[in-house]
Structures are given as C-alpha cells and as structure tokens.
Amino acid sequence: MTKPIDAVPTTYAGTRFRSRLEADWAITLNGLGIAWDYEPELITLPSGTQYVPDFWLPEIGTWLEVKGPHTPRREKATELGNARACGCTGVCSCRWRGGQLVLLGWPSHRSPNQIGYRGRWGHAWWASAYGASAYLTECPSCARAQWVTLRRPWRCRSCRASLGATPRFYSPAEQLIRFGEGASLTSARVDEDIRRLAEEERLADAGDDEPGDW
C-alpha cells in the first residue's frame, strides 16, 4: 500500500507551500531552470467552477497541478486543459504552440532495483491532464527545458525556434529526471550514459559466460 504523503506546509525559496510535495516540485523545476509562480490566480472554468492551479510556468505556457497519491481527482485540471488547448485549424497561431499545457505532477517514482535509483526522492512523474502525452525536452537555441507534445513541427514553446530533427524527449517512465534534488537535465544525460554503459557491461559479461568453440 502506498504510504500517504503528509500535507505539511513547507517553506522553500521564500514561498510557503501547502505541502512538502509541492515544495519538492518547486525544487525540481528550479533545477531544470523552469521559472514558476505558485498559485498565481483564481480561474473560473467554463463550467463555472473556480480553480486555483498550483503552478504557472510563465516562460513555457504550462500549468502544473500537484497531486498526492490520495488526491486522485483531476476534473478541474482536465477542464482547464480542454479550455486552454489549441483550437487552431491548420498552422497553430496560439501564443504557446499547441495552446497552454496542463500537467499533473505526482509523487516521485521509486524503483530500488533500477540503475540510477535516487534513494529518498526518486524520479519525477507527470502526466497530461488533457490531450496528448507531454515529454520533457530542451531547446537547442535558448537552452530552456520545457514540456511539449509530439505534435509536429517541433518548436520551442518559448523562443519558437526549431527543436531540431531528432530532439531528445524524456518520458517519466524512463526515470531519468531526478525529483526534489534541484538536478538539471545534464544529470539526466549523465544517468542515461551510466545506464547505457552498465547495460553494455552486462551484455558483455553475459556473452563471456556463453560456451564457445576452443
């Protein structure tokens, strides 16, 4: 059974958060170099429901709603994602390519048997509240980390430059984005190299164990 995360008010970077989980997400965003505003505004949704999302990421046009393991309701975040999604036909002319994204930020994913396991904090785990899956990437022009969908053409949500022909998209399932440590995408690339080398070594050792012709 998943152990509940206490909603303990926590202060980080001069901001008083309602929970440790929210503070850990702020630490993670800072490590990635992503600017954030905490509970910046009260939004009236199309249904008339009022909603205060946890984070607005102003440089990449993204909302982040933090959800603990025992707060699964996501209706407000989903409605916001639907309302702010791109409605363009043809070429997108939205201020933020594809419209504003709305993400759900979960507690860290822990996998002790996996290479790169981060002990207490684990790895960042997120999902789109509405629409296509979101992947973390980095713009080669402005070096800004951001979440994007796989809708082409791939362009930076901040500077609108091309993300290149073969951008590296990180999914939460890869467990490469360290959570709550203030780590950058450089750490993800290092961890990825470590895993690759470990796998190559494992395969080499397995090959040495196979019987051969002498």
Side-chain angles (χ1 to χ4, degrees), residues 97 149-155 164-165 167 169:
R97 179 161 186 80
T149 67
L150 298 185
R151 177 181 177 180
R152 290 176 180 265
W154 296 321
R155 292 195 174 276
F169 295 120

Side-chain angles (χ1 to χ4, degrees), residues 23-159:
D24 280 344
W25 265 105
I27 294 170
T28 302
L29 293 170
N30 276 353
L32 294 170
I34 298 176
W36 51 267
D37 295 324
Y38 179 64
E39 295 189 344
E41 63 178 290
L42 175 65
I43 297 173
T44 300
L45 299 171
S47 64
T49 302
Q50 292 190 317
Y51 175 41
V52 181
D54 293 320
F55 291 95
W56 167 241
L57 315 181
E59 295 178 341
I60 57 175
T62 301
W63 298 94
L64 174 64
E65 177 68 19
V66 175
K67 290 292 185 183
H70 295 279
T71 54
R73 295 179 65 88
R74 54 185 290 175
E75 291 87 352
K76 293 180 182 179
T78 299
E79 186 177 355
L80 177 63
N82 185 17
R84 301 293 176 90
C86 175
C88 302
T89 56
V91 178
C92 176
S93 60
C94 297
R95 166 65 182 87
W96 310 104
R97 179 161 186 80
Q100 295 179 7
L101 296 181
V102 181
L103 303 179
L104 300 171
W106 306 107
S108 62
H109 188 86
R110 297 172 173 82
S111 182
N113 296 323
Q114 183 169 358
I115 297 171
Y117 171 62
R118 302 307 306 166
R120 172 192 167 193
W121 290 284
H123 296 88
W125 198 258
W126 68 86
S128 294
Y130 175 84
S133 297
Y135 298 82
L136 189 66
T137 191
E138 185 177 65
C139 174
S141 296
C142 68
R144 183 160 284 124
Q146 60 198 276
W147 280 276
V148 299
T149 67
L150 298 185
R151 177 181 177 180
R152 290 176 180 265
W154 296 321
R155 292 195 174 276
C156 176
R157 291 178 59 80
S158 181
C159 73

